């Protein structure tokens, strides 16, 4: 076996070279940093500005849906991790989130609020928070997203303490400029700069840095320049959740064990002995989640499960951008506070009159379940595809039917009597339905107040797909019925559905999905049987000749007898009836076809039946009807199949495999299933 040791070293060097290491670990003087900021004010952006710039770094595109202009932000496709945490089907809600960051980056007010993601379980709230945390970490490693902090140096001789002390909360180096001088300094640095390019200095030094700063000012008799030149080392700051730099996560624990010092830091008893006092800020660990998340983002998991004392800490952290460490003055912070919660917890907040202050400081953004089928399918295909599941074949429409059921559970029953919930789902998914315009679809969405806030979670469907694959009841191939039965079986013990009425409704929706799948698979088998393009083209030519003669009141020449005959009304109607063209509309339809052919001719194009979807479908169904009996599909349900029929069935199977993604197992299953449908139909006809 060939060893690739040298190649491994080469690949690592390509990705992480010494020059990149030096760039990421840049250090320099305070004057170097001020010069850099003057050239590039983005270096001292706020946390909100940095996250907004991160999102915009990946770009966006506009599209129109139901007459409404929407924006898709590519950052939420998770380009940093090959789409592992991609968010699908929530562009409307993601746009509200991005607008929040945009307004906050412009200092319009949201930067003084807690961002609260609200929605049902499994609706991508945690995924969005995780994306933002991963993204801001990655961005800090790029030149566009670089930011800087500082450390105190050469302290031992002057202050009789450790020689180097990094700022414990990684604050902005411009905080070192005395507040009395800031107006004049900013006036100078911002001269000629556009509004959005202006430099701002917000906040004061943290208690530990302030202590060192004041001591040094005494040593140098107030000579600030000497402090900046001799004792300040500016360095590149790389945000990292693992290293607890600029990214924090707080999870609620048992209420009896909650302690607010987890957010704001606590005393370091070993250092108290060294410095002689518990009020010396150097003897304090600034390692609470608010402290370490400074300059970046802090996530509060299930935020409203926090003890009330913790929620009070959030008030000052959001509105004033200040936290209160034990025994020390309020400390300035610059970070995005993002929490997420489910509906029962949010209702508790609404009903708690003592929490009005927090409600007032919260911007709630709904993150509902997806209500578009094609977007829901993407969630499952990300985890269940030929690459992730190479040893078991997933039959066509298996994932689609599971997703279909998930969507149906989240939709409200249509108020219009002539519209089914399945039709409503198709309208939302972009399909057309006679009598429904885009305005009607907008009305449907407006009428449904709780759509996407109730229903089955994608997690439940993922679990059942996983169970189906592990159990492998299809012996190497799982089909829609295996998964739908698994979904139904799990309802009995579903922990989040307690009332029998809801379970009953969900079971009824499974029956609706099974019926829809029956129609889909029947259609595919029909198309596979009638997939002889030469035969379709021949049938089409015959139909067009007759329609032309009919519309122009001419006779048709019979190719076999050479005689002129009346247009074959029986042939034309047998095709038109397949797409529900009534007798009263046949003349209009035939004229439409001839006008369509004429319009193509004027453009120098030749008519092809494939370009007219309705006609193509009608021709396929007609050909299927003509060929169905020659294949004797219903004989599949019996034990005896003659060689000639078997050969024809094998041709159909191969078409299903080649054109529709079936394998040998599921193509046989599909043919048997469709055969049983036709057998049932024959029995019914005989009984009648």
């Amino acid at each position: 076996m060939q060893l690739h040791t040298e190649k491994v070293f080469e690949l690592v060097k390509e990705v992480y070279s010494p020059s990149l290491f030096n760039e990421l670990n840049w250090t320099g003087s305070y004057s170097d940093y001020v010069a850099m900021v003057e050239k590039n004010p983005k270096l001292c952006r706020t946390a909100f500005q940095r996250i907004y710039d991160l999102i915009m770094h990946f770009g966006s595109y506009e599209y129109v849906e139901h007459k409404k202009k929407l924006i898709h932000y590519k950052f939420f496709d998770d380009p940093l991790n090959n789409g592992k945490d991609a968010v699908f089907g929530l562009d409307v809600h993601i746009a509200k989130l991005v607008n929040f960051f945009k307004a906050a980056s412009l200092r319009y007010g949201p930067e003084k609020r807690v961002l609260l993601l609200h929605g049902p379980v499994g609706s991508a709230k945690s995924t969005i928070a995780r994306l933002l945390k991963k993204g801001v970490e990655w961005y800090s490693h790029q030149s566009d997203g670089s930011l800087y902090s500082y450390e105190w140096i050469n302290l031992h001789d002057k202050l009789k303490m450790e020689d180097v002390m990094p700022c414990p909360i990684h604050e902005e180096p411009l905080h070192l400029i005395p507040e009395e001088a800031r107006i004049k300094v900013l006036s100078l640095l911002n001269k000629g700069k556009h509004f959005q390019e202006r430099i701002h200095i917000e906040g004061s030094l943290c208690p530990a840095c302030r202590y060192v700063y004041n001591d040094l000012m005494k040593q140098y008799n107030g000579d600030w320049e000497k402090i900046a030149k001799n004792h300040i080392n500016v360095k590149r700051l790389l945000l990292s959740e693992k290293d607890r730099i600029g990214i924090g996560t707080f999870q609620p624990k048992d209420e009896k064990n909650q302690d607010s010092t987890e957010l704001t830091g606590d005393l370091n008893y070993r250092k108290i002995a060294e410095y002689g006092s518990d009020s010396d800020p150097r003897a304090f660990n600034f390692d609470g989640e608010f402290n370490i998340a400074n300059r970046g983002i802090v996530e509060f998991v299930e935020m409203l499960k926090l003890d009330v004392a913790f929620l009070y800490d959030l008030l000052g952290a959001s509105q004033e951008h200040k936290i209160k460490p034990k025994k020390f003055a309020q400390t300035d912070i610059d970070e995005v506070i993002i929490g997420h919660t489910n509906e029962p917890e949010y209702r508790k907040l609404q009903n708690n009159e003592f929490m009005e202050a927090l409600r007032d400081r919260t911007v709630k953004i709904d993150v509902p379940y997806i209500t578009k089928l094609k977007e829901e399918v993407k969630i499952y295909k990300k985890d269940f595809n030929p690459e992730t599941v190479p040893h078991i074949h997933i039959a066509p429409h298996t994932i689609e039917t599971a997703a279909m059921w998930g969507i149906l559970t989240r939709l409200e029953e249509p108020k219009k009597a002539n519209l089914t919930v399945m039709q409503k789902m198709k309208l939302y998914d972009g399909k057309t339905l006679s009598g429904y315009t885009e305005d009607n679809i907008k009305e449907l969405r407006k009428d449904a107040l709780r759509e996407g806030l109730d229903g089955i979670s994608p997690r439940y469907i993922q679990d059942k797909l996983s169970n189906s694959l592990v159990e492998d009841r299809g012996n190497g191939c799982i089909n829609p019925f295996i998964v739908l039965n698994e979904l139904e079986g799990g309802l009995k013990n579903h922990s989040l559905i307690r009332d029998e009425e809801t379970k009953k409704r969900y079971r009824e929706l499974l029956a609706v999905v099974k019926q829809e799948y029956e129609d889909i698979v029947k259609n595919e088998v029909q198309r596979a049987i009638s997939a002889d393009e030469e035969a379709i083209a021949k049938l089409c030519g015959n139909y067009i000749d007759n329609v032309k003669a009919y519309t122009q009141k001419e006779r048709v020449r019979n190719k076999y007898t050479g005689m002129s005959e009346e247009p074959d009304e029986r042939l034309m109607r047998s095709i038109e009836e397949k797409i529900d063209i009534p007798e009263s509309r046949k003349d209009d339809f035939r004229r439409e076809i001839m006008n369509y052919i004429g319009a193509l001719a004027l453009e120098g194009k030749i008519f092809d039946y494939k370009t007219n979807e309705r006609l193509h479908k009608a021709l396929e169904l007609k050909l299927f009807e003509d060929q169905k009996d020659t294949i004797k599909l219903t004989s599949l349900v019996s034990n005896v199949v003659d060689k000639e029929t078997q050969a024809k069935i094998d041709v159909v199977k191969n078409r299903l495999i080649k054109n529709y993604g079936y394998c040998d197992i599921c193509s046989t299953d599909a043919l048997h299933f469709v055969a049983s449908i036709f057998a049932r139909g024959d029995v019914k006809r005989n009984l009648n």
Side-chain angles (χ1 to χ4, degrees):
M1 190 179 84
Q2 185 184 359
L3 294 174
H4 299 289
T5 310
E6 286 184 17
K7 190 67 178 170
V8 168
F9 281 84
E10 282 175 31
L11 291 170
V12 171
K13 276 182 84 173
E14 272 178 34
V15 177
Y16 200 76
S17 62
S19 60
L20 176 61
F21 179 84
N22 291 332
E23 185 186 326
L24 295 177
N25 290 275
W26 179 94
T27 60
S29 68
Y30 196 72
S31 56
D32 289 338
Y33 179 68
V34 173
M36 285 162 62
V37 167
E38 193 173 4
K39 284 182 190 172
N40 181 12
K42 283 189 170 184
L43 295 179
C44 58
R45 282 171 289 192
T46 65
F48 285 94
Q49 288 170 328
R50 196 169 292 105
I51 285 189
Y52 177 68
D53 288 347
L54 156 71
I55 294 168
M56 299 314 294
H57 175 86
F58 290 93
S60 62
Y61 60 83
E62 284 187 354
Y63 65 100
V64 176
E65 183 179 278
H66 308 316
K67 293 187 178 179
K68 187 177 180 181
K69 195 181 281 185
L70 300 176
I71 302 175
H72 179 82
Y73 292 95
K74 295 178 186 177
F75 169 73
F76 294 95
D77 296 330
D78 193 15
L80 300 175
N81 207 13
N82 294 321
K84 185 183 175 186
D85 278 329
V87 176
F88 303 111
L90 295 174
D91 284 344
V92 171
H93 307 279
I94 292 292
K96 290 176 184 174
L97 178 71
V98 177
N99 286 341
F100 167 86
F101 283 116
K102 184 177 182 179
S105 73
L106 294 167
R107 295 177 167 82
Y108 288 167
E111 73 279 6
K112 297 177 180 177
R113 306 286 178 265
V114 174
L115 175 62
L116 182 64
L117 303 178
H118 160 263
V121 293
S123 66
K125 303 183 296 294
S126 301
T127 304
I128 290 169
R130 190 162 58 247
L131 270 173
L132 292 170
K133 289 194 298 183
K134 278 192 314 185
V136 80
E137 180 171 331
W138 171 86
Y139 197 47
S140 72
H141 286 67
Q142 313 308 307
S143 57
D144 282 355
S146 57
L147 68 159
Y148 296 81
S149 187
Y150 63 90
E151 60 190 3
W152 299 92
I153 57 173
N154 306 323
L155 298 178
H156 185 266
D157 292 340
K158 286 284 178 185
L159 303 183
K160 304 297 181 223
M161 59 178 282
E162 55 202 23
D163 206 40
V164 177
M165 188 191 91
C167 172
I169 63 170
H170 319 293
E171 62 192 308
E172 165 59 51
L174 293 184
H175 283 187
L176 288 158
I177 295 175
E179 290 187 28
E180 299 83 356
R182 287 182 185 180
I183 293 174
K184 289 184 177 178
V185 168
L186 290 175
S187 178
L188 176 69
L189 294 177
N190 287 326
K191 204 174 233 179
K193 282 187 170 65
H194 183 265
F195 165 70
Q196 292 188 7
E197 293 178 332
R198 285 181 192 160
I199 297 162
H200 297 267
I201 306 175
E202 295 169 352
S204 303
L205 295 173
C206 70
C209 291
R210 188 173 185 80
Y211 185 94
V212 172
Y213 175 85
N214 288 338
D215 261 15
L216 287 171
M217 284 293 269
K218 288 173 190 170
Q219 294 280 343
Y220 286 103
N221 295 316
D223 193 333
W224 179 86
E225 187 178 356
K226 282 185 179 175
I227 295 173
K229 284 183 175 178
N230 299 328
H231 296 283
I232 297 296
N233 186 38
V234 177
K235 58 182 183 176
R236 179 90 178 257
L237 182 63
L238 302 175
L239 305 187
S240 167
E241 183 167 22
K242 287 177 183 172
D243 296 329
R244 300 189 79 224
I245 299 172
I247 301 170
T249 305
F250 188 81
Q251 289 182 293
K253 300 175 182 65
D254 176 42
E255 283 187 22
K256 292 175 185 174
N257 297 323
Q258 287 185 25
D259 183 354
S260 62
T261 59
E262 292 178 60
L263 290 179
T264 54
D266 202 359
L267 292 166
N268 183 332
Y269 292 97
R270 187 177 62 81
K271 291 263 179 114
I272 291 172
E274 186 180 332
Y275 293 116
S277 168
D278 63 359
S279 60
D280 189 319
R282 293 172 299 174
F284 190 85
N285 282 336
F286 290 90
D287 59 356
E289 293 305 317
F290 276 141
N291 307 116
I292 65 102
N294 191 39
R295 311 293 302 284
I297 183 170
V298 61
E299 175 194 7
F300 281 84
V301 179
E302 292 295 342
M303 189 176 89
L304 299 182
K305 284 192 170 82
L306 288 171
D307 185 64
V308 173
F310 282 74
L311 295 176
Y312 284 128
D313 280 323
L314 282 169
L315 301 182
S318 58
Q319 182 72 32
E320 283 83 35
H321 288 197
K322 292 180 188 293
I323 55 172
K324 177 70 177 67
K326 190 159 61 175
K327 292 203 170 189
F328 295 102
Q330 287 194 321
T331 303
D332 290 292
I333 56 169
D334 166 32
E335 60 198 65
V336 173
I337 302 170
I338 182 169
H340 40 90
T341 192
N342 54 39
E343 198 161 12
E345 296 294 335
Y346 186 71
R347 274 202 222 104
K348 263 200 249 175
L349 173 70
Q350 286 179 308
N351 297 331
N352 187 343
E353 60 189 52
F354 299 108
M355 282 286 101
E356 276 185 21
L358 180 64
R359 283 206 307 272
D360 195 44
R361 288 171 170 83
T362 300
V363 171
K364 176 175 77 79
I365 290 179
D366 288 327
V367 184
Y369 289 137
I370 295 170
T371 54
K372 282 175 70 176
L373 178 61
K374 64 172 76 78
E375 298 296 329
E376 182 80 4
V377 165
K378 288 176 187 175
I379 295 175
Y380 311 121
K381 286 201 170 173
K382 184 177 67 176
D383 295 325
F384 306 103
N385 57 65
E387 283 184 21
T388 57
V389 191
H391 56 294
I392 295 178
H393 182 251
I394 300 173
H397 313 296
T398 301
I399 285 173
E400 285 85 344
T401 50
M404 203 180 284
W405 177 68
I407 298 287
L408 291 178
T409 66
R410 301 164 196 167
L411 298 183
E412 293 180 13
E413 286 291 333
K415 290 174 183 172
K416 297 185 184 242
N418 61 340
L419 186 70
T420 67
V421 71
M422 177 62 77
Q423 287 172 323
K424 186 183 189 183
M425 183 198 74
K426 289 179 180 178
L427 286 171
Y428 282 5
D429 202 40
K431 303 283 192 301
T432 54
L433 188 64
S434 179
Y436 282 87
T437 63
E438 292 192 328
D439 289 331
N440 296 139
I441 298 166
K442 279 167 75 176
E443 280 173 33
L444 283 171
R445 283 210 177 273
K446 210 175 280 183
D447 289 344
L449 300 175
R450 290 196 51 79
E451 233 160 41
L453 294 174
D454 298 305
I456 286 291
S457 157
R459 285 193 197 127
Y460 176 77
I461 294 172
Q462 284 168 323
D463 290 345
K464 298 309 167 190
L465 281 165
S466 178
N467 285 356
S468 302
L469 288 164
V470 169
E471 291 176 10
D472 190 16
R473 289 177 186 158
N475 299 316
C477 176
I478 65 161
N479 62 47
F481 285 109
I482 291 172
V483 173
L484 292 173
N485 290 337
E486 185 73 34
L487 291 169
E488 186 169 5
L491 284 176
K492 189 164 53 173
N493 301 313
H494 197 298
S495 58
L496 297 178
I497 309 171
R498 293 179 182 85
D499 61 296
E500 287 303 316
E501 194 59 39
T502 304
K503 288 181 184 177
K504 183 186 172 189
R505 178 173 168 263
Y506 288 177
R507 288 191 187 100
E508 287 168 356
L509 290 173
L510 277 164
V512 171
V513 171
K514 285 177 184 176
Q515 183 59 53
E516 181 67 17
Y517 172 66
E518 189 174 303
D519 293 341
I520 292 168
V521 73
K522 196 162 72 172
N523 181 258
E524 280 186 347
V525 169
Q526 287 172 343
R527 293 180 78 173
I529 288 171
S530 58
D532 185 342
E533 292 201 11
E534 195 178 320
I536 294 180
K538 192 174 175 184
L539 180 64
C540 181
N542 198 1
Y543 175 73
I544 296 298
D545 287 345
N546 279 278
V547 167
K548 183 184 173 189
Y550 177 85
T551 54
Q552 295 180 3
K553 298 189 168 41
E554 295 174 350
R555 292 168 73 83
V556 183
R557 183 175 172 275
N558 189 311
K559 290 175 184 175
Y560 302 106
T561 64
M563 303 288 289
S564 290
E565 299 172 350
E566 288 294 320
D568 190 343
E569 182 65 22
R570 189 173 171 187
L571 170 76
M572 290 187 287
R573 287 304 294 144
S574 68
I575 291 169
E576 290 155 2
E577 283 169 353
K578 297 290 176 287
I579 47 171
D580 302 323
I581 304 293
E583 181 77 22
S584 58
R585 281 268 299 121
K586 69 178 184 184
D587 287 6
D588 293 339
F589 181 74
R590 291 169 190 176
R591 275 195 293 272
E592 279 174 30
I593 293 290
M594 294 316 296
N595 290 341
Y596 179 65
I597 294 169
L600 286 173
L602 287 172
E603 294 174 16
K605 296 176 183 174
I606 298 169
F607 171 72
D608 181 351
Y609 65 86
K610 291 176 188 171
T611 60
N612 190 307
E613 196 178 330
R614 292 183 79 203
L615 181 58
H616 189 183
K617 184 182 176 185
L619 293 166
E620 281 184 334
L621 290 170
K622 168 63 178 164
L623 195 64
F624 169 74
E625 189 180 80
D626 293 346
Q627 294 186 352
K628 181 180 68 174
D629 294 332
T630 66
I631 289 181
K632 295 178 186 170
L633 197 62
T634 51
S635 64
L636 268 175
V637 292
S638 71
N639 296 324
V640 184
V641 181
D642 61 78
K643 280 186 180 179
E644 188 183 340
T645 301
Q646 188 60 53
K648 289 178 180 177
I649 286 167
D650 287 343
V651 169
V652 176
K653 269 179 67 175
N654 288 334
R655 284 175 185 164
L656 286 171
I657 292 166
K658 184 182 172 186
N659 300 337
Y660 298 101
Y662 287 79
C663 71
D664 191 62
I665 297 169
C666 58
S667 61
T668 303
D669 290 344
L671 283 172
H672 273 86
F673 178 58
V674 174
S676 69
I677 295 169
F678 284 114
R680 288 202 307 267
D682 289 346
V683 169
K684 281 181 186 174
R685 278 197 295 275
N686 291 335
L687 287 171
N688 291 336

